[in-house]
Amino acid sequence: MSNSHMTMTLAQAVREGRRFWGSEDGVALWQAQRACLGPLCESRFGSHSLQLGMASRLTDMCPIRHAMSWAPTRALAQDDASLVCDPSALPLPDESLDLVLVHHLLEVMPNAHHLVREAARVTRDDGLLVMMGWNPFGADALGHLSPASRRRWPCKGRWRRSGRLREWLAFVDFEIDRVDYCGFRLPGGHIHNLGLETLGRRYNLPFGGCYLIVARRKQIPVQPVRTLLRRDSMAGNWLGPAALHRDHGGRSGRATHAHDDRMAEVD
C-alpha cells in the first residue's frame, strides 16, 4: 500500500471514528475508559506522552508535562500538539516517551504490527505502552460477526484478542503487565449501566466491550562482562570480542525485517 493511499485510508477511518466517539454511546464508552485508565495515568510522571487514535485525549489527567496527540493529515489535527504522520513510522527518537497510548487504532491500521513495533520503539525503558481495543468476547462481538456491520463503527476493522497482542509485544521485547476490561453492557443494551460497569471492573470480568493492555519493556538482568576469546583452529590465532562482533554483524541489518516477517506470521 502506497503512503498516499494509507494516508487516505487512515483519514477516512479517523473521520468515521470521531463521529462515533462524539455520539452518545461513544461518549459513554470514552468516560468508562477514562475511569479505567485514570488510576494508571494519575501515577505517571515524566516529560512526554503520545495518544494514537481517533477519540479525545484520555490522558489529560496525567501529570506528564508535554502531551501529544496524532492525526494522519494536517487538516485533521485538533491542536498544535498533534503529531501529523504515518503512525507506522513515527518521527520520534528511540525511547523518547514516558507513556504511549494506542487507542482503537490497531483494528483499522494496515500492517498493524508495524504500529506496535513503532509504539514500542519510542517508549522509554521505564515507560508504559498502553493499548485499548475492542474485545472479541464482549457484548459488541455479536454485531461484529455480521459482514455488513464490519464496515461501520464501532465494529469496523479487525478485532484481535489480547493473547495475539501478547505475541506481538514479545517480538519487540515487551511484556504485558496487566489486562483490564471496561465498557460492560448486556447485548443490545446501553453503556450507561453503572451497576454492571462497577461489577465487571471489580472482578475484572473478560466480557467488557473493550480491553486495556498495559505493557512494559522486558528488563534484561545485568551480568558481569567477561572477555570472550576463541581460537581459530585453522590459523592458530586467538580472536577476541572484535572478531565475534564481525561474525554477527552481517545479521544485524536484517533484524528489523526478520521481526516484521515473524510478527506478520502471527497476525
Side-chain angles (χ1 to χ4, degrees):
M1 179 180 291
S2 66
N3 289 338
S4 59
H5 187 210
M6 177 179 289
T7 299
M8 293 175 58
T9 300
L10 289 176
Q12 179 63 24
V14 167
R15 285 190 287 265
E16 294 176 0
R18 287 180 180 175
R19 282 196 291 270
F20 167 74
W21 292 108
S23 67
E24 183 179 358
D25 280 347
V27 171
L29 180 58
W30 183 89
Q31 291 173 343
Q33 292 180 337
R34 191 174 187 273
C36 188
L37 184 65
L40 180 70
C41 280
E42 291 171 354
S43 61
R44 295 303 301 177
F45 292 85
S47 301
H48 306 285
S49 68
L50 172 64
Q51 177 172 324
L52 296 159
M54 297 89 163
S56 300
R57 191 172 296 153
L58 281 161
T59 58
D60 55 344
M61 78 290 280
C62 188
I64 292 178
R65 295 187 293 275
H66 181 214
M68 296 180 289
S69 55
W70 164 84
T73 65
R74 190 172 298 278
L76 291 171
Q78 294 182 312
D79 52 51
D80 293 337
S82 294
L83 191 66
V84 179
C85 66
D86 174 358
S88 63
L90 298 173
L92 296 171
D94 294 354
E95 302 177 17
S96 56
L97 303 178
D98 299 280
L99 174 66
V100 178
L101 170 61
V102 181
H103 185 263
H104 295 282
L105 189 57
L106 291 175
E107 289 91 345
V108 298
M109 178 74 188
N111 297 321
H113 58 282
H114 290 178
L115 174 56
V116 174
R117 182 197 65 196
E118 277 294 277
R121 179 185 66 80
V122 299
T123 303
R124 289 169 53 95
D125 280 348
D126 57 349
L128 291 183
L129 172 55
V130 181
M131 295 185 290
M132 282 187 169
W134 303 112
N135 181 13
F137 307 107
D140 294 316
L142 295 177
H144 185 251
L145 296 177
S146 167
S149 68
R150 291 182 185 179
R151 295 190 290 270
R152 303 190 305 269
W153 274 85
C155 295
K156 186 171 183 177
R158 183 173 182 179
W159 295 13
R160 295 175 175 88
R161 55 187 176 82
S162 58
R164 177 55 50 83
L165 297 183
R166 184 187 300 273
E167 295 171 354
W168 283 8
L169 288 166
F171 280 116
V172 291
D173 294 327
F174 269 67
E175 56 189 356
I176 293 180
D177 201 25
R178 60 180 296 149
V179 180
D180 293 327
Y181 298 89
C182 60
F184 293 91
R185 63 172 172 174
L186 298 175
H190 294 286
I191 305 175
H192 302 83
N193 192 331
L194 295 180
L196 190 60
E197 185 73 17
T198 300
L199 179 66
R201 287 193 54 203
R202 177 181 299 170
Y203 296 102
N204 200 25
L205 301 175
F207 308 116
C210 51
Y211 53 73
L212 182 154
I213 293 176
V214 181
R216 301 175 187 267
R217 192 180 303 277
K218 293 179 181 178
Q219 298 300 316
I220 301 176
V222 178
Q223 297 180 349
V225 178
R226 298 176 180 175
T227 302
L228 300 177
L229 298 175
R230 71 169 187 172
R231 182 164 183 167
D232 188 322
S233 58
M234 297 297 293
N237 296 324
W238 287 93
L239 304 178
L244 293 179
H245 179 72
R246 286 196 301 271
D247 288 344
H248 295 282
R251 286 176 287 190
S252 60
R254 298 188 295 272
T256 299
H257 299 292
H259 263 190
D260 287 349
D261 292 342
R262 294 177 64 191
M263 289 176 70
E265 289 175 0
V266 298
D267 189 2

